[in-house]
Amino acid sequence: MAAAGFAPVLEAVATMQSNFDQARKAQAHKFLEAFQKSPEAWTSTHAILSSSQTSTEAKLFAATTLKGKVTYDLDQLPRNALPALRDSILSLLSSFRDGPRPIRTQLCVCLANLAIQMTEWKNVLQTVGSTLGSDAGDCILEFLQVLPEEVTEGRKINLTEEDLISRTKELLEDNCAQVMTLLIQYSNSSPSAALNPRLLECISSWLREIPSASIVNSPLLDVVINALSAESSFEAAVDCMCTLYRDTKEVDESLEVIQILYSKLIPLRPRIAQAAEVQDLDIYKGITRLFAEAGEAWIVMIARLPSEFRGLVEAILECCARDQDRDAISLTFIFWYEFKQMITLEIYHPARNAYADIFAKLVDIMIKHLEFPTPDGPDETDLFDGDREQEEKFREFRHQMGDVLKDCCEVISVTECLGKSFNLIRAWCDKYASEATSEKVPHWQELEAPLFAMRAMGRVVLKEESVVLHQVIPLIVQIPHHEKLRFQAIMALGRYTEWTAEHPQFLQMQLNFIISAFDSSSTEVVRAAALAFRFFGTDCRELLRHHVVQLHEFYESVLDNLPQMSQEELTEGVSFVVSAQSPDKIYTTLKLYGDPLIERLKVRANRAQAQQKDVDTIAVADCLLLITIFITNVQPYYSPSEENQAVKYCQEILPVLSAVAENFTNCTIILERVCRCWRNMVISYRTAILPLLPELAEQLAVGFERSRSGSFLWATDSVLREFADGAENVNADTTDAIYRFFEQQAIAFLRIMNDLPPSDLPDVIEDFFRLLVDALIYYHNQLILASICGPILSASISVLVLQQQAPLHATLHYLRDFLSYGSDQPASSSFNESHPQPLNLDIQNSVKQRVLAQGEALVQRLLTGMMFTFPRDCLQDASGVLMSLFELMPEQAALWVKSTIEILPAGSIKAGEAERVMNNVAAKVQVGDYRKLRAVLQDFTTSYRRRNVAPRDGLGSLEPKRFRYNG
């Protein structure tokens, strides 16, 4: 029967493995997490592992827990207990030397981590070998494998950097010769030993320390090469070879090693054809890795000596060519990219010429691999036999191949690569075009692939191209009506709109082709047409601006039939055509396009209010987004003395937008879209928006008070930045009014914080403190000296109880910027950087006084968050705020840290730890070494967080106080 002492642990593990409900599993997880951090786990894990009646799952959990204890909690044990711990782990490892392997692996990691930290243990390898015995080959090999991994890849917080360096030398560097001897002896012990994957994994691991030259010039190289011929050891041998390659990347220092490895690698090339013929995927992928990763490692040598290393590049090309199922080709993509990067350098121009024929063949191979499969059954639309995952994988894979085609363009010229696609398109047209009907297009895959290739290469084709595009575009707009062909043709044309802008004679045929696609019954084709039109409108706006009225008729006729994303893309396109109008036509054109959208908005808003359905609410939000697109993209220039015609139209629609915001105060998505629209008005028209400013500011203030939505603060932020002190055409009275508007928003926020806990307001908090960061930059003279600054600091401290990343980031950034104004290097900004304003001593003193008043509470919340609640991605920012406090008033900050540590929950900190930490803090403060001070505090909080969970009965004196505001 299992001992009663660990029965609750076994029960919790069984719960996690069973089909119990999530609540019960969560409770079990919480119990196990607390158990893993407790001192009792030391004895319980040994008992579970030693018991013959506990399950394999329970033993694996115990081994994993023991690994964590050794890694992080070794200081829970007295130093004189470590030899007994070592002996018990060795005893357990001996018991599990034959498996199960996961448990054995965890125990090996345990022993390795103990060896790292138990610095008095000098004869590690001898002790492990003699204890486990000569018949425990796999177990000893696994320990030897994990030892370098744990030493070099793990950051052991219980060792100083100096001790870790010293221990690394003792465990690895000083043992290299002995390990080499052991591995050679083991490989010679029997034929099966030489093919043991554990041996190869061990060699790979020790290559972190043993130079590759030592392996290559020893019998172990032949062991690795021979292991490539055995199925059981093939994968481990491939990994080992690739590890050897990586150690030779410094080619000038590794010439001899590279030559030896190259001489062993090239004879393996026939295995590419052999693996392809028998369709052994695992072998084929492994062989491809062997050649591709050699190419990556030796890329400099390949460029320097093209004739000597051409065989390797040809082998990689063959791997691509023979991969009919496209399962291994992706392993070569990094090589082709890095190869392109290297030989396009001027210094390697001869290599570029030498390898041009290989890149030309690579283009042909890639285009062939781009072809969709031919279906086996009668349903020609089911290309992947119903395997949607495989279809999605193929689509993603095609874009990666497209990147390789772009690499080829940079090596052998865009014209040659485009010409290959053009020749394939023309060949298909000559051969099959006459057979194509509306119901059936023969061999369409052979046409679709070069169309996709053209689309992929479009990004690197210059608008000056004058050979291929003149011929191929007239062919593309005549392709048959097939869904995938039409889709790919439209997407390809959308990539060449910059070229079309320079060659207007090709615009009309393409535009007719794309506009006709909006009548297609295929949703995919229609979406492609909308996306392509966006690019045509953006790049060809000057050519299309005289057709703005006809485009409006088209826009209105198709808009409501499109999916939302396509509506946005089509609107993007026509909005850029509107932006190309002359200044005197901007108002009438905006009105032409905007008024129907405003009418749609009114109708949809009325319907949403009447029916209270989500679909109607979303329709309102979608319409607001289309209006915002016009405001974002139509940014005409007017002199300060002229009336901005776009702003004139904004004045007309502002009451409608205000009414929508007023009537949907509880609808987040609509408020966000209205505020986005207002924000873009300010960003697009900047100070020209001044005539709207009083009404806009009032709507932002009233809207925030009514809805408590952070979107209004987000929009407020744009006003603060555009009308800051020193901005062009902004007088002091306007700036003062803007600051008073900001204070009004801040007071409203503080009142909300008074009414609700931070956990109910994460989004509002994020938007407010992002607003504050800009307020500090542009209005620090007013804000820091204002009476509201103190309550804002209090609110920021109370917010640090949150556990969401975004609001914490915003708050911590604000705190760091605020503290900077107490120093000589404030996080300020000026429109006149060449004549910065002198530092204001009143501001510095005000910051210091506020920090003295609330610094202790701030330090408590920062340290509490770092030890218990902050997401890991916030720890650096929190540590940065602490360092700013130390830089501002070091002695006082040290006292606050000390007082916080003193009130940590009883039993959560080890004897003498607090004194040791504070002595380190004092030493670093005394010499002003804030970088090392930061490391001291981070190590302490990380270690504390690993060992402790928040007590169920609360944090006592560290419990946060509720924010209150009476203003």
Side-chain angles (χ1 to χ4, degrees):
M1 181 180 291
F6 56 78
V9 177
L10 298 181
E11 184 181 348
V13 171
T15 299
M16 296 299 295
Q17 299 288 332
S18 66
N19 294 323
F20 287 115
D21 59 74
Q22 289 301 316
R24 188 164 174 181
K25 284 191 173 184
Q27 185 178 4
H29 180 272
K30 189 174 182 180
F31 170 81
L32 292 174
E33 190 178 52
F35 164 76
Q36 288 179 314
K37 296 183 179 183
S38 69
E40 294 77 19
W42 290 105
T43 53
S44 295
T45 52
H46 278 77
I48 294 171
L49 285 163
S50 302
S51 172
S52 60
Q53 298 184 19
T54 51
S55 66
T56 301
E57 291 79 8
K59 285 183 167 67
L60 180 58
F61 170 77
T64 305
T65 300
L66 185 58
K67 178 192 70 174
K69 300 299 287 183
V70 171
T71 304
Y72 299 108
D73 297 341
L74 199 61
D75 49 12
Q76 289 180 345
L77 300 177
R79 199 74 191 175
N80 59 13
L82 298 189
L85 174 64
R86 174 195 62 197
D87 294 343
S88 67
I89 295 175
L90 277 167
S91 176
L92 289 170
L93 188 54
S94 182
S95 300
F96 288 97
R97 63 184 182 180
D98 296 323
R101 190 181 176 192
I103 297 175
R104 187 180 73 198
T105 299
Q106 295 299 315
L107 291 174
C108 285
V109 175
C110 279
L111 195 59
N113 277 290
L114 181 61
I116 294 166
Q117 298 175 78
M118 192 177 169
T119 52
E120 61 270 31
W121 183 13
K122 300 300 182 183
N123 57 339
V124 174
L125 298 189
Q126 293 90 331
T127 303
V128 173
S130 61
T131 303
L132 295 178
S134 59
D135 58 343
D138 276 7
C139 190
I140 294 173
L141 286 172
E142 185 155 18
F143 173 75
L144 287 175
Q145 176 193 342
V146 301
L147 183 62
E149 294 171 357
E150 294 302 308
V151 172
T152 58
E153 296 181 7
R155 183 176 184 274
K156 308 307 168 195
I157 59 176
N158 292 323
L159 281 183
T160 64
E161 197 69 29
E162 294 79 11
D163 287 342
L164 184 57
I165 292 171
S166 173
R167 194 60 173 156
T168 300
K169 181 179 183 300
E170 291 177 356
L171 291 174
L172 300 187
E173 184 179 337
D174 295 349
N175 284 319
C176 284
Q178 183 183 354
V179 170
M180 280 280 293
T181 302
L182 284 172
L183 296 178
I184 292 171
Q185 289 175 347
Y186 179 82
S187 68
N188 291 331
S189 64
S190 69
S192 61
L195 299 178
N196 188 343
R198 305 290 89 75
L199 170 65
L200 298 160
E201 290 165 359
C202 195
I203 296 171
S204 298
S205 182
W206 275 87
L207 276 165
R208 293 170 169 84
E209 193 64 35
I210 298 175
S212 57
S214 298
I215 302 292
V216 167
N217 292 307
S218 77
L220 290 176
L221 179 60
D222 286 334
V223 170
V224 176
I225 297 298
N226 292 334
L228 290 168
S229 301
E231 185 176 348
S232 61
S233 57
F234 177 76
E235 185 177 351
V238 170
D239 288 337
C240 194
M241 284 289 286
C242 292
T243 306
L244 283 167
Y245 299 155
R246 286 192 287 273
D247 199 47
T248 62
K249 282 191 173 183
E250 297 297 329
V251 294
D252 292 323
E253 301 170 8
S254 309
L255 287 176
E256 281 188 35
V257 176
I258 292 173
Q259 288 172 348
I260 295 172
L261 288 173
Y262 188 76
S263 68
K264 298 287 187 180
L265 176 64
I266 290 302
L268 298 174
R269 183 175 173 182
R271 295 194 62 183
I272 301 172
Q274 293 167 11
E277 186 176 349
V278 298
Q279 297 183 343
D280 190 326
L281 174 60
D282 292 334
I283 297 295
Y284 195 88
K285 291 177 76 171
I287 292 294
T288 302
R289 270 191 70 199
L290 280 176
F291 288 103
E293 294 197 27
E296 292 170 29
W298 305 334
I299 204 81
V300 174
M301 298 302 296
I302 295 172
R304 283 183 189 170
L305 304 169
S307 58
E308 288 86 343
F309 282 86
R310 183 181 176 90
L312 176 56
V313 182
E314 289 177 341
I316 300 171
L317 184 72
E318 183 180 351
C319 290
C320 296
R322 292 186 181 274
D323 187 17
Q324 296 304 313
D325 294 327
R326 311 176 187 90
D327 290 311
I329 191 172
S330 61
L331 298 171
T332 71
F333 290 166
I334 294 176
F335 166 74
W336 294 120
Y337 171 75
E338 293 185 352
F339 191 26
K340 178 266 299 185
Q341 291 287 86
M342 188 65 63
I343 63 174
T344 51
L345 297 174
E346 188 60 37
I347 190 174
Y348 296 122
H349 188 73
R352 183 175 181 175
N353 293 332
Y355 289 118
D357 64 314
I358 287 194
F359 276 90
K361 293 174 184 175
L362 182 62
V363 174
D364 296 332
I365 292 168
M366 288 295 157
I367 295 178
K368 186 63 181 175
H369 281 317
L370 286 172
E371 290 184 12
F372 273 99
T374 302
D376 297 327
D379 185 0
E380 294 194 2
T381 62
D382 188 6
L383 303 175
F384 296 89
D385 297 325
D387 189 341
R388 296 302 166 212
E389 182 180 349
Q390 187 67 22
E391 181 175 3
E392 191 58 38
K393 180 182 174 183
F394 176 70
R395 290 178 187 276
E396 181 182 346
F397 176 62
R398 296 180 100 205
H399 290 285
Q400 295 174 335
M401 288 193 286
D403 291 336
V404 177
L405 286 172
K406 289 194 278 285
D407 294 337
C408 295
C409 288
E410 294 187 50
V411 176
I412 60 171
S413 86
V414 168
T415 299
E416 183 173 349
C417 293
L418 276 179
K420 287 179 175 293
S421 284
F422 168 57
N423 290 334
L424 290 170
I425 293 170
R426 183 170 57 184
W428 186 93
C429 291
D430 292 343
K431 192 172 182 180
Y432 299 115
S434 60
E435 302 175 26
T437 66
S438 57
E439 288 79 27
K440 185 176 177 59
V441 178
H443 303 283
W444 60 267
Q445 292 92 338
E446 296 177 21
L447 176 58
E448 194 272 350
L451 286 172
F452 182 94
M454 279 203 62
R455 170 188 168 191
M457 293 184 284
R459 193 167 295 174
V460 294
V461 176
L462 299 177
K463 54 189 178 184
E464 292 81 14
E465 202 285 324
S466 58
V467 177
V468 178
L469 292 178
H470 291 76
Q471 304 175 70
V472 74
I473 284 180
L475 279 180
I476 290 176
V477 298
Q478 298 179 52
I479 65 155
H481 290 272
H482 181 281
E483 180 184 21
K484 283 188 164 48
L485 293 177
R486 180 61 65 95
F487 172 84
Q488 214 54 256
I490 292 169
M491 295 296 285
L493 294 177
R495 284 291 176 91
Y496 293 92
T497 50
E498 290 185 6
W499 182 88
T500 301
E502 298 296 317
H503 302 83
Q505 67 270 31
F506 294 93
L507 173 62
Q508 192 63 52
M509 66 174 73
Q510 294 180 74
L511 209 57
N512 291 342
F513 182 72
I514 288 167
I515 288 177
S516 68
F518 282 91
D519 296 327
S520 173
S521 58
S522 167
T523 305
E524 291 296 315
V525 171
V526 171
R527 286 177 174 169
L531 180 60
F533 192 92
R534 171 190 169 195
F535 297 134
F536 274 95
T538 303
D539 295 328
C540 303
R541 67 186 84 173
E542 292 297 330
L543 299 178
L544 293 171
R545 68 190 185 94
H546 299 298
H547 305 284
V548 71
V549 175
Q550 296 95 311
L551 283 178
H552 174 255
E553 294 173 1
F554 160 70
Y555 178 70
E556 282 294 315
S557 68
V558 302
L559 183 65
D560 293 330
N561 299 322
L562 298 177
Q564 178 57 29
M565 180 62 73
S566 297
Q567 288 187 23
E568 294 168 24
E569 289 164 347
L570 180 61
T571 303
E572 288 266 1
V574 296
S575 68
F576 279 110
V577 177
V578 172
S579 73
Q581 303 303 302
S582 59
D584 59 311
K585 293 181 179 177
I586 287 292
Y587 172 75
T588 55
T589 312
L590 260 181
K591 194 171 178 64
L592 175 68
Y593 280 85
D595 280 0
L597 292 177
I598 292 295
E599 289 304 314
R600 283 184 178 86
L601 177 62
K602 292 177 182 178
V603 171
R604 294 179 183 183
N606 290 333
R607 186 188 305 129
Q609 277 193 296
Q611 300 189 13
Q612 300 290 311
K613 292 181 179 179
D614 289 344
V615 64
D616 296 316
T617 301
I618 292 173
V620 174
D622 290 342
C623 194
L624 285 164
L625 187 56
L626 301 184
I627 296 167
T628 303
I629 289 171
F630 279 101
I631 289 168
T632 302
N633 295 334
V634 181
Q635 299 181 24
Y637 172 77
Y638 296 92
S639 68
S641 59
E642 294 178 287
E643 180 184 23
N644 189 306
Q645 297 295 301
V647 173
K648 178 182 177 182
Y649 186 68
C650 288
Q651 280 182 300
E652 288 187 12
I653 66 173
L654 185 60
V656 179
L657 299 176
S658 301
V660 170
E662 183 178 342
N663 287 300
F664 291 90
T665 53
N666 295 320
C667 182
T668 302
I669 187 171
I670 288 180
L671 294 179
E672 190 273 335
R673 294 286 171 83
V674 171
C675 290
R676 181 192 294 265
C677 190
W678 286 342
R679 174 183 168 86
N680 279 278
M681 286 181 184
V682 177
I683 293 172
S684 292
Y685 309 124
R686 311 194 68 173
T687 54
I689 205 75
L690 193 59
L692 274 72
L693 204 53
E695 185 179 352
L696 183 57
E698 181 182 355
Q699 291 299 327
L700 291 173
V702 171
F704 182 51
E705 283 197 46
R706 283 178 179 164
S707 68
R708 297 183 172 181
S709 168
S711 299
F712 291 93
L713 299 177
W714 180 52
T716 298
D717 191 24
S718 63
V719 177
L720 254 66
R721 283 190 278 106
E722 294 299 340
F723 291 91
D725 186 24
E728 189 178 359
N729 302 320
V730 177
N731 58 42
D733 290 340
T734 300
T735 301
D736 290 342
I738 295 299
Y739 176 74
R740 290 194 300 273
F741 163 53
F742 159 75
E743 271 207 1
Q744 183 181 356
Q745 298 289 68
I747 290 170
F749 171 80
L750 295 175
R751 288 172 178 164
I752 295 171
M753 282 284 293
N754 183 71
D755 295 340
L756 297 171
S759 57
D760 290 353
L761 302 165
D763 294 337
V764 182
I765 288 169
E766 179 188 356
D767 288 321
F768 178 70
F769 283 101
R770 292 198 186 284
L771 171 65
L772 271 177
V773 168
D774 278 342
L776 273 177
I777 291 174
Y778 299 114
Y779 298 89
H780 48 267
N781 289 323
Q782 298 98 312
L783 174 58
I784 292 175
L785 298 177
S787 58
I788 199 175
C789 188
I792 288 175
L793 181 58
S794 299
S796 70
I797 295 171
S798 72
V799 160
L800 298 178
V801 301
L802 290 174
Q803 297 183 33
Q804 294 100 318
Q805 186 173 316
L808 281 173
H809 270 314
T811 307
L812 292 168
H813 289 175
Y814 159 72
L815 284 167
R816 199 164 183 180
D817 286 357
F818 172 74
L819 293 172
S820 75
Y821 283 92
S823 70
D824 294 332
Q825 294 181 317
S828 61
S829 181
S830 170
F831 284 96
N832 188 5
E833 294 290 352
S834 59
H835 298 89
Q837 295 180 350
L839 292 170
N840 189 323
L841 293 180
D842 290 338
I843 288 179
Q844 286 186 334
N845 291 332
S846 178
V847 170
K848 291 176 181 177
Q849 288 170 9
R850 297 190 192 284
V851 171
L852 278 172
Q854 303 191 56
E856 185 171 14
L858 175 57
V859 170
Q860 286 184 6
R861 292 269 55 81
L862 288 169
L863 286 176
T864 302
M866 292 172 72
M867 290 186 288
F868 290 109
T869 59
F870 286 168
R872 296 198 180 277
D873 286 345
C874 292
L875 296 180
Q876 287 294 329
D877 284 331
S879 176
V881 176
L882 268 178
M883 290 307 99
S884 296
L885 277 170
F886 271 98
E887 290 169 6
L888 198 60
M889 39 188 67
E891 291 82 8
Q892 196 65 48
L895 288 175
W896 292 332
V897 170
K898 183 174 184 290
S899 66
T900 302
I901 293 176
E902 287 173 349
I903 60 175
L904 287 170
S908 66
I909 190 167
K910 299 184 290 291
E913 184 177 11
E915 183 179 357
R916 185 171 68 251
V917 170
M918 291 315 303
N919 287 340
N920 282 335
V921 168
K924 301 302 182 285
V925 166
Q926 187 173 8
V927 298
D929 192 342
Y930 295 109
R931 184 183 67 83
K932 289 189 176 178
L933 172 61
R934 185 173 193 162
V936 167
L937 291 173
Q938 282 184 328
D939 284 351
F940 167 68
T941 55
T942 301
S943 175
Y944 185 94
R945 185 175 184 138
R946 171 64 186 80
R947 296 193 313 267
N948 297 280
V949 293
R952 294 182 180 180
D953 54 353
L955 295 172
S957 301
L958 287 175
E959 280 293 317
K961 297 178 176 61
R962 180 71 184 272
F963 171 75
R964 294 299 178 195
Y965 179 66
N966 299 318

